[in-house]
Amino acid sequence: MVEGKIELKEKDGILKSLLHQPKPVWAVAFSCVVAFMGIGLVDPILKSISEQLHATPAQTSLLFTSYMLVTGIVMLFTGYISSRIGAKLTLLIGLVVIIIFATLGGLSQSVGQLVGLRAGWGLGNALFISTALATIIAVSSGATEKAIIMYEAAMGLGMSVGPLLGGALGSITWRAPFFGVAMLMAIGFVAIIMLLEPIPKPKVKSKFGGSLMALRHKGLLVTGLTALFYNFGFFTLLAYSPFLMEGYSAIQVGLVFFGWGVLLAISSVFVAPRLEEIWGTKAVMIGALAFFAIVLIVMGVGANHSMVISVCIVIAGFFQGINNTLITSAVMVVSPVERSTASSAYSFIRFTGGAIAPWLAGSLAVWFNPHVTFYVAGLAVIIGILVLFIGRKALVALD
C-alpha cells in the first residue's frame, strides 16, 4: 500500500506541475498541440487524397517526406534566427507560415501541389517547434524535466487529436482538415501575442551553422543518430500503415490513431519518468526501442490483416511515448551546447530520418511487398539500438 501511495503522489506531482503553469506556457503548449496535430492530420485522409487526386500510395506518402525534409533542414538555422529576432517573433512567424500553407493545401488541385505546399508548412513548423521547446523551458515554473514533460504532453495530445480531427473532417472532404488546422493555428497566434511576453535574447547569439558544429559532440551525435533510425520506424508506421487498413473509413482510421496517440501521451507523461527513475535513461530507451522494433516486425508478418495492423499501431504508441520523452530529455543534458542549438541539431537529424521513411516505405511495397516495408522499418530501429549501445560511453551525463 505504501508503494502504491508513493506512486500516486508521484503522478499527482506530475499533474500539478502540468496544471500549475503560467499562462504563457499554456499559450505555447496549445500551439504545440496544433502544430503536432499537423503531423498525423493527414493519416486518415491519405487514401482519399490518393483516390481523388489520382496518385499512388508512394506519391501520396511524399506529403510526409516534403514536410519532414524541409522541417529538418530549416531546423539547422532556427537557433541562429531566434537568437537575433527573439523567440516570440520566431514563434509568430512560424505560425503565420503554417496558417498560409495549410490554407493553400486545402485548395490544392493535384498531389504535386499538395506535396509542395506541405513543404512550406514544414518551414513554418521548423521555426515554431524548435523554438517552442526552448520557450516552454524558459517560461515554465519548475525543473527542466517538468517543462520537457509539458512539451511531450502537448506533442502526445496533438498526435492523438490530429488523426481524430483529420478523420472527422476528412469524412466530409479531404480538404477540411487543412482549413481546420489553419483556424486553430490562428487561435494559437492570438494567444501567443496576448499572453507571451517578449523573451530576452541570449547574450551570446547562435552562430550560422552552429547546429552542425554542435554535432561534433559525440553524445549529441549518438543521440541524434539513434533518433534518426527510430524516426525511420516511427514515420513508416505513421505514413504507410493507413494504406493497409482495408475497409476502414476515414473516421475509423482516425480512431485507431487516436488510440495510438492516447497511449503515446500517457506513457510519455507518466510511464517514462517512472521507468527512468528505476532503471536509468539508457536502459529504458534501449528497452522501448526493442519493443517498438518487435511491434514493427509483427506488422510486417501481419501486413495483409487490417486488424493486426490496427492493434499494433495502438500498442506501438506506448513504446514510442516512452522513447520520445527520454530522447528529448537526453538531448537537453547530454552536451554542453545551448539548449536551442542542441534542439536544432537533434531535430535536423531526426526529421531527416522521418523524411526518408514515407517515400521508401511506399516504394519498398511496390518493389517487393508491404511485408518488406515493415521488416526494413524494424531493422532500422534495431540499428538505432546498436548505435545507442555502441555510443553509450558518450552518454555518461544521462545517468
Side-chain angles (χ1 to χ4, degrees):
M1 289 296 293
V2 174
E3 185 178 343
K5 289 181 179 178
I6 291 173
E7 188 174 345
L8 183 60
K9 286 181 179 179
E10 288 176 353
K11 289 182 179 180
D12 288 344
I14 293 174
L15 282 173
K16 288 180 180 178
S17 174
L18 295 179
L19 295 174
H20 294 84
Q21 291 290 342
K23 290 181 180 179
V25 174
W26 285 104
V28 178
F30 170 79
S31 299
C32 280
V33 169
V34 183
F36 283 112
M37 281 170 57
I39 295 177
L41 181 84
V42 298
D43 271 310
I45 56 176
L46 283 175
K47 289 193 289 186
S48 297
I49 293 173
S50 178
E51 292 169 1
Q52 295 185 33
L53 295 183
H54 309 292
T56 66
Q59 290 172 327
T60 309
S61 294
L62 289 174
L63 294 175
F64 282 97
T65 296
S66 63
Y67 175 84
M68 303 300 292
L69 183 61
V70 172
T71 296
I73 293 172
V74 176
M75 283 283 190
L76 287 174
F77 311 105
T78 53
Y80 175 83
I81 295 170
S82 65
S83 67
R84 283 161 175 76
I85 67 175
K88 181 175 181 178
L89 184 55
T90 305
L91 290 172
L92 293 174
I93 291 174
L95 289 174
V96 169
V97 173
I98 293 173
I99 292 168
I100 291 172
F101 281 97
T103 302
L104 293 175
L107 300 173
S108 298
Q109 299 300 316
S110 70
V111 72
Q113 288 180 3
L114 193 53
V115 168
L117 292 168
R118 280 282 285 183
W121 189 336
L123 168 63
N125 201 54
L127 292 172
F128 179 82
I129 288 180
S130 182
T131 311
L133 175 56
T135 302
I136 287 177
I137 291 174
V139 302
S140 67
S141 60
T144 298
E145 291 78 8
K146 296 294 189 294
I148 290 173
I149 290 174
M150 181 79 173
Y151 175 81
E152 292 296 332
M155 183 180 77
L157 183 59
M159 286 194 164
S160 62
V161 175
L164 191 62
L165 179 65
L169 295 178
S171 61
I172 304 170
T173 169
W174 67 263
R175 301 178 186 276
F178 291 88
F179 298 136
V181 165
M183 291 177 63
L184 290 171
M185 276 302 193
I187 296 173
F189 179 86
V190 174
I192 288 178
I193 285 182
M194 296 179 63
L195 299 177
L196 181 64
E197 295 293 330
I199 298 172
K201 299 175 185 177
K203 294 180 181 179
V204 180
K205 292 181 171 59
S206 299
K207 296 180 180 179
F208 188 82
S211 296
L212 275 178
M213 294 173 61
L215 291 173
R216 292 182 298 181
H217 187 278
K218 289 184 179 179
L220 187 58
L221 180 61
V222 167
T223 308
L225 289 175
T226 301
L228 184 149
F229 290 107
Y230 161 65
N231 273 274
F232 186 94
F234 188 115
F235 284 98
T236 295
L237 180 147
L238 205 61
Y240 187 71
S241 57
F243 290 106
L244 301 181
M245 299 165 74
E246 295 293 335
Y248 283 48
S249 66
I251 189 65
Q252 287 173 322
V253 175
L255 286 170
V256 170
F257 277 97
F258 175 70
W260 166 82
V262 168
L263 277 189
L264 185 145
I266 291 173
S267 63
S268 65
V269 174
F270 298 112
V271 180
R274 177 64 172 160
L275 294 180
E276 185 180 24
E277 288 179 7
I278 298 172
W279 287 303
T281 306
K282 287 177 285 187
V284 177
M285 282 174 62
I286 289 173
L289 288 170
F291 280 110
F292 180 44
I294 291 171
V295 172
L296 288 171
I297 292 170
V298 172
M299 293 177 75
V301 173
N304 294 332
H305 303 281
S306 298
M307 184 57 67
V308 172
I309 295 297
S310 302
V311 172
C312 285
I313 287 170
V314 176
I315 293 173
F318 180 80
F319 302 112
Q320 289 174 288
I322 294 171
N323 193 66
N324 286 351
T325 292
L326 297 188
I327 203 165
T328 304
S329 300
V331 169
M332 294 295 106
V333 299
V334 79
S335 70
V337 302
E338 289 186 6
R339 286 169 179 156
S340 59
T341 302
S343 177
S344 296
Y346 154 73
S347 296
F348 161 69
I349 295 182
R350 67 166 177 159
F351 279 112
T352 301
I356 297 169
W359 171 80
L360 187 58
S363 298
L364 285 171
V366 173
W367 298 335
F368 303 101
N369 55 63
H371 304 278
V372 173
T373 295
F374 287 101
Y375 293 149
V376 171
L379 178 61
V381 177
I382 291 171
I383 294 173
I385 296 172
L386 293 176
V387 170
L388 185 60
F389 182 77
I390 294 170
R392 64 191 183 281
K393 291 182 179 179
L395 308 176
V396 292
L398 294 184
D399 297 325

